[in-house]
Amino acid sequence: MIDVTIVVNGDTRRASVPPETTLLKLLRENFSLTGAKLGCDVGDCGACTVIVDGMAVNSCLMLAGQANGRSVTTIEGLATRERLHPIQKAFEDTGALQCGFCGPGAIMATKALFDEHSDPNVKDIRDALSGSLCRCTGYTKMIEAVQEAARVLRSESRTKLTDART
Ligand code: FES
Ligand code: FES
């Protein structure tokens, strides 16, 4: 067994797991964070996407031990009790998801994109979502959702800037 300590959504979490345990398994089975989904388990579908130290990763391909000492954000870390994250709201409002299975991964891939680009173009968005396979949608609504979320986030950050100056 190996001991791992990870900051997950701002909380320090510890577990003792077999060395072959993936980050996805650790999150789902040890920490009861079931938002990241087990789809293909081989890095093809993106349903398991989380953010590790600022980068979107397929958590089925990362060992829990490789995440030791690092900071992980999962879909559970986005919303507050009062409010969905603007990315989640935009996906909901535009009808970007149908069965929803790919949603957590696509939304986390979008979050990682916004952490780098506040105003991504369509190519940036397509690239960011390229690892997220969706069997239900044609991706058009998903791209619209990302564009809408980007607009909302830019507007919120302009408002914050104005408030800070007054
Ligand atoms: Fe990880 Fe499919 S479950 S990429
Ligand atoms: Fe069903 Fe994407 S909404 S897999």
Side-chain angles (χ1 to χ4, degrees):
M1 301 289 270
I2 58 164
D3 294 328
V4 291
T5 302
I6 301 175
V7 176
V8 185
N9 301 329
D11 293 328
T12 301
R13 310 285 298 262
R14 296 185 176 82
S16 192
V17 293
E20 67 275 15
T21 303
T22 62
L23 173 59
L24 178 61
K25 192 166 181 192
L26 176 78
L27 292 170
R28 291 180 59 84
E29 296 183 13
N30 294 80
F31 299 159
S32 301
L33 294 169
T34 55
K37 300 290 180 245
L38 174 60
C40 64
D41 210 15
V42 292
D44 283 340
C45 75
C48 63
T49 302
V50 299
I51 298 177
V52 179
D53 286 346
M55 284 191 54
V57 304
N58 290 329
S59 59
C60 70
L61 292 184
M62 178 177 259
L63 292 172
Q66 293 174 305
N68 187 37
R70 301 173 79 176
S71 179
V72 177
T73 307
T74 70
I75 189 81
E76 289 89 348
L78 295 196
T80 62
R81 272 184 198 282
E82 296 74 35
R83 179 177 183 254
L84 286 176
H85 188 282
I87 302 172
Q88 293 169 306
K89 178 91 170 58
F91 270 67
E92 184 181 60
D93 289 349
T94 57
L97 298 173
Q98 290 178 28
C99 80
F101 190 81
C102 66
I107 287 168
M108 294 314 287
T110 302
K111 171 79 171 66
L113 169 68
F114 288 162
D115 290 345
E116 299 249 313
H117 300 282
S118 61
D119 190 10
N121 60 31
V122 172
K123 180 177 181 310
D124 297 329
I125 296 170
R126 284 185 188 279
D127 286 349
L129 293 177
S130 63
S132 295
L133 296 190
C134 177
R135 290 175 177 233
C136 307
T137 74
Y139 295 96
T140 305
K141 293 275 179 201
M142 234 186 251
I143 292 167
E144 281 175 27
V146 177
Q147 290 172 316
E148 171 61 16
R151 270 193 293 276
V152 169
L153 286 164
R154 282 199 307 276
S155 154
E156 285 185 358
S157 101
R158 272 196 301 274
T159 306
K160 273 189 204 146
L161 211 58
T162 309
D163 290 350
R165 285 183 183 145
T166 53

